[in-house]
Amino acid sequence: MGDAATDLKKQVTDYLATVFPETQGNEGWSLRVSMPFPQSWNGQPTPTVWYAYADRSSTQSPNGVEVSQAWATVTQEADPCRPLQLVWLQKGIVPLGFQGPGPSARQIFRWRGAVLGTGLP
């Protein structure tokens, strides 16, 4: 990423940090921001859009993280002099699922063995 893109990503992240939803009773979430897309389409300048979501570590997935649904978008119009625009997609943080490495081959054999009654140690 060039300096201008890095500066814009920091601006978007800093902006989102000021509006990050309250997570009382659902603590541990950290702000995450998607990569920007698209910056141009068919050679024409278009708005740049980022999606805001959250993640947190979880005992259910020790090698991965729990991720949330996107809770907002931030748009920078093609004219960089225009202010960032925030659109709320939902209120608060809504868990989506877990992201991380899949099960090992040994775990798969154990599960298969348990189901078939031929368990491995």
Side-chain angles (χ1 to χ4, degrees), residues 36-119:
F37 52 97
Q39 292 184 355
S40 64
W41 195 258
N42 293 332
Q44 301 299 313
T46 62
T48 302
V49 179
W50 290 264
Y51 286 86
Y53 64 102
D55 71 8
R56 66 180 175 181
S57 59
S58 172
T59 56
Q60 294 180 21
S61 180
N63 295 325
V65 294
E66 184 177 17
V67 295
S68 77
Q69 295 179 11
W71 53 269
T73 62
V74 173
T75 302
Q76 173 66 61
E77 294 298 327
D79 175 2
C81 295
R82 298 192 57 192
L84 296 173
Q85 297 174 341
L86 174 73
V87 174
W88 290 94
L89 301 176
Q90 63 192 18
K91 185 176 181 178
I93 302 295
V94 177
L96 179 63
F98 295 94
Q99 183 177 31
S104 69
R106 185 161 183 81
Q107 287 172 317
I108 292 170
F109 285 126
R110 281 187 181 174
W111 294 335
R112 196 174 288 158
V115 169
L116 298 174
T118 60

